[in-house]
Amino acid sequence: HFSDVWMWMDDSWTLLSEGNRAFQPQSRAYHGAFIIEDNLMVLGGQSESAALLDDCWEFDLTAQNWHRVVLPKLRPCVCFTSR
């Protein structure tokens, strides 16, 4: 369970976010993640205390900041993990 964000660029890994920002998702494992344009989307997963998460977050790869995404009707199922 980590809260940092890394990106593979050219031939090496680059640290984008060290997890020390005031507004960001809690650290998690077994989450779903995908990229849409310049945004990394993170869905659900499992917290360090093994609680299942049903939230959605967006990381702007250009500005390098997080935004919580409010999904009014469709939310990740709390039983979902990427295991």
Side-chain angles (χ1 to χ4, degrees), residues 25-64:
Q26 68 187 84
S27 60
R28 63 193 62 216
Y30 311 117
H31 55 279
F34 56 94
I35 292 179
I36 298 177
E37 296 179 359
D38 290 334
N39 299 300
L40 169 68
M41 307 300 292
V42 176
L43 297 162
Q46 187 177 41
S47 72
E48 288 186 68
S49 65
L52 296 177
L53 304 170
D54 68 349
D55 56 352
C56 180
W57 288 82
E58 173 185 36
F59 184 74
D60 184 320
L61 295 167
T62 303
Q64 296 190 11

Side-chain angles (χ1 to χ4, degrees), residues 4 10 12-13 35 44 54 65 67 70 72 81:
D4 50 352
D10 300 319
S12 62
W13 286 101
I35 292 179
D54 68 349
N65 56 28
H67 302 279
V70 178
T81 68

